[in-house]
Amino acid sequence: MLAKASIDEVCSSYHQDIRAKFNRRWRIPLPEGQMACTDCHNPHGSITKPLLKTDTVNETCYTCHAEKRGPFLFEHAPVRANCLNCHDVHGSNQQTLLVAPIPMLCQQCHTMTRHPNDLQTRAGLGTGPHPDERLIGRGCLTCHSNITARTILPDRSSTSDGGGRCLR
């Protein structure tokens, strides 16, 4: 029998930093009661440091997101390595639990060599002091779609010259 009303309350009493993430705009549906800490974690022990129920972070994510498992023709290496490279699973202020806004997230690994755009900063976002139309909307995802697991090739439609260079 638990001293607290739920296992989630027990967990959050120890992990207050994680509990704070549930106040962010994008989060897993734990506060709504649609998930519990024990859906992903084993509080009694595990072979992984975060006490995951599976052997890896990705295997844990795939229990709910099976469509991301693959294999796919083109796989984005950071996704295959670890979902946490791009996502904060407990909560984020960025859409789809991203750890940084796009394109800043993309620029952590991808340089702008041979790319028509300059290095983008938060100042260029729609809410920044110098909005840049290349950042408004979907940023890198305007041309490079389905990063998660399907393809990282640019859309070769009318906005591209066929060689991956944007015509805009």
Side-chain angles (χ1 to χ4, degrees):
M1 185 169 194
L2 295 173
K4 303 273 183 180
S6 74
I7 186 69
D8 296 332
E9 288 183 36
V10 174
C11 296
S12 65
S13 68
Y14 290 100
H15 304 286
Q16 294 174 2
D17 57 328
I18 300 298
R19 183 178 187 190
K21 291 183 178 186
F22 296 132
N23 293 324
R24 295 182 178 173
R25 179 172 178 161
W26 300 90
R27 64 183 184 276
I28 59 172
L30 190 133
E32 291 82 8
Q34 296 175 10
M35 286 184 77
C37 299
T38 54
D39 289 346
C40 301
H41 301 279
N42 183 349
H44 300 291
S46 167
I47 63 169
T48 64
K49 184 175 178 171
L51 301 177
L52 295 175
K53 283 188 163 183
T54 63
D55 293 340
T56 66
V57 168
N58 284 16
E59 285 300 317
T60 302
C61 296
Y62 296 153
T63 59
C64 292
H65 302 283
E67 75 281 3
K68 307 296 184 199
R69 182 182 299 276
F72 298 100
L73 183 58
F74 301 102
E75 293 186 296
H76 196 209
V79 175
R80 179 58 51 210
N82 189 330
C83 298
L84 299 181
N85 286 332
C86 299
H87 299 277
D88 186 330
V89 297
H90 296 107
S92 171
N93 289 325
Q94 309 304 320
Q95 190 172 6
T96 64
L97 299 172
L98 293 176
V99 297
I102 293 173
M104 288 72 178
L105 176 63
C106 303
Q107 289 178 157
Q108 290 176 3
C109 298
H110 298 280
T111 61
M112 294 301 166
T113 306
R114 298 184 304 148
H115 198 278
N117 294 336
D118 302 321
L119 183 67
Q120 305 299 321
T121 65
R122 291 182 186 268
L125 292 173
T127 57
H130 308 290
D132 186 325
E133 68 277 357
R134 295 171 291 182
L135 294 179
I136 299 172
R138 297 181 61 204
C140 301
L141 300 179
T142 301
C143 298
H144 304 274
S145 60
N146 297 320
I147 298 300
T148 307
R150 291 164 184 70
T151 178
I152 58 168
L153 295 177
D155 177 6
R156 307 251 192 253
S157 64
S158 61
T159 61
S160 170
D161 68 358
R165 292 178 295 277
C166 294
L167 297 175
R168 293 182 189 178

